Amino acid sequence: MLAGLLQGWRRPAVVREAALPAIADTSVTRAATRTHVGRVRTINEDRVFADTARGLWAVADGMGGHFAGDIAAETIVDSLRRLADDPARFDDDRVETILAAAGRDIHAVASGSTRVSGSTVVALHIDGAQGTLFWAGDSRAYRARRGRLEQLSRDHSLVQELIDAGALSPDLAERHPQAHVITRALGASPEVAIERRSVTVEPGDLYLLCSDGLTRGCSALALAAGRPIEAIADELMAGALAAGGADNISLVLIAVE
């Protein structure tokens, strides 16, 4: 559904950003975040996190209809915030450890109330020319590079398993009656496997982290080359809301120069 979404992105030729603190040793110069309750739900269970100076960003999507999905997502974001606020340098293993611990905390709280709670998550850590993605569930990561949009994450969902087994075509996946059934979420059990992928980071890259409220609701958008990421973020959000906004909608855009 997002084919062509960020097509044509190029680094603006005239923009000059102030140098970021050297603590993260990252070339990222700008990030934009958006989150919206949507047009149907009354509670926003999504949370976004962005600390560009430390090279760490995330989107967490609390499980709709379950106990305290917003608290589950907030637990993840709070854990990442504490990590980023610590002046000590951190690596990818530390990010994964923090996410896993947040999942255990969510599960412990839910178990004490005999209720189910959980949240999907997608996070990106960039250090220089190296990026690492972490995710569990169907929150996604995309990269636009030289006019080509690529989905970097792979959903942990029932329909993805059906696609992998050859029992369902990708074109029919989003209309499947069980399209919202996910197979992993932090907090759903004491230990949840967090998938991890390393990527190279190049000047001109644009990374998109988003909840499924964007990917399920946003039609393909033709975006002009060189547009500021704040304008791109606004347009993505407007497109998802115009399509009905049936779910909470959240995104983080990260531009590299």
Side-chain angles (χ1 to χ4, degrees), residues 121-207:
V121 66
V122 59
L124 173 63
H125 176 221
I126 292 181
D127 188 355
Q130 179 67 40
T132 306
L133 289 162
F134 309 83
W135 74 95
D138 59 358
S139 291
R140 292 181 180 177
Y142 292 85
R143 178 179 61 199
R145 174 179 287 174
R146 293 186 288 275
R148 178 175 178 266
L149 182 70
E150 178 185 5
Q151 182 177 333
L152 298 176
S153 60
R154 175 185 170 277
D155 292 353
H156 301 132
S157 66
L158 176 61
V159 294
Q160 185 63 56
E161 291 182 354
L162 293 174
I163 291 170
D164 293 344
L168 183 67
S169 72
D171 292 340
L172 298 176
E174 292 180 4
R175 298 191 296 274
H176 193 278
Q178 293 180 299
H180 291 280
V181 177
I182 59 176
T183 55
R184 293 189 205 178
L186 295 188
S189 61
E191 300 295 333
V192 174
I194 299 168
E195 193 155 353
R196 182 165 152 175
R197 176 179 176 178
S198 296
V199 296
T200 57
V201 177
E202 297 182 4
D205 282 354
L206 182 66
Y207 293 88

Side-chain angles (χ1 to χ4, degrees), residues 1-9 140-145 147-152 170-171 174 208 210 214-223 235-236:
M1 180 174 286
L2 286 180
L5 180 65
L6 301 172
Q7 193 170 17
W9 161 261
R140 292 181 180 177
Y142 292 85
R143 178 179 61 199
R145 174 179 287 174
R148 178 175 178 266
L149 182 70
E150 178 185 5
Q151 182 177 333
L152 298 176
D171 292 340
E174 292 180 4
L208 169 66
C210 60
L214 180 71
T215 54
R216 295 185 191 280
C218 187
S219 58
L221 299 175
L223 302 175
E235 197 164 339
L236 290 173

Side-chain angles (χ1 to χ4, degrees), residues 32-184:
T33 66
R34 299 288 186 274
T35 187
H36 196 288
V37 69
R39 301 198 185 282
V40 175
R41 299 192 175 182
T42 58
I43 297 175
N44 190 350
E45 295 181 309
D46 287 0
R47 296 292 186 271
V48 296
F49 174 78
D51 192 325
T52 300
R54 301 304 303 273
L56 184 62
W57 308 265
V59 171
D61 180 357
M63 293 167 60
H66 291 284
F67 171 68
D70 54 338
I71 296 176
E74 188 68 33
T75 298
I76 294 171
V77 166
D78 281 347
S79 297
L80 293 174
R81 185 177 294 112
R82 288 194 297 271
L83 174 64
D85 286 346
D86 187 338
R89 192 177 181 89
F90 59 85
D91 59 12
D92 293 335
D93 289 340
R94 183 62 176 156
V95 176
E96 185 172 345
T97 297
I98 288 294
L99 290 172
R104 289 191 291 272
D105 290 343
I106 295 166
H107 185 266
V109 171
S111 297
S113 62
T114 68
R115 304 288 294 275
V116 176
S117 183
S119 175
T120 70
V121 66
V122 59
L124 173 63
H125 176 221
I126 292 181
D127 188 355
Q130 179 67 40
T132 306
L133 289 162
F134 309 83
W135 74 95
D138 59 358
S139 291
R140 292 181 180 177
Y142 292 85
R143 178 179 61 199
R145 174 179 287 174
R146 293 186 288 275
R148 178 175 178 266
L149 182 70
E150 178 185 5
Q151 182 177 333
L152 298 176
S153 60
R154 175 185 170 277
D155 292 353
H156 301 132
S157 66
L158 176 61
V159 294
Q160 185 63 56
E161 291 182 354
L162 293 174
I163 291 170
D164 293 344
L168 183 67
S169 72
D171 292 340
L172 298 176
E174 292 180 4
R175 298 191 296 274
H176 193 278
Q178 293 180 299
H180 291 280
V181 177
I182 59 176
T183 55
R184 293 189 205 178

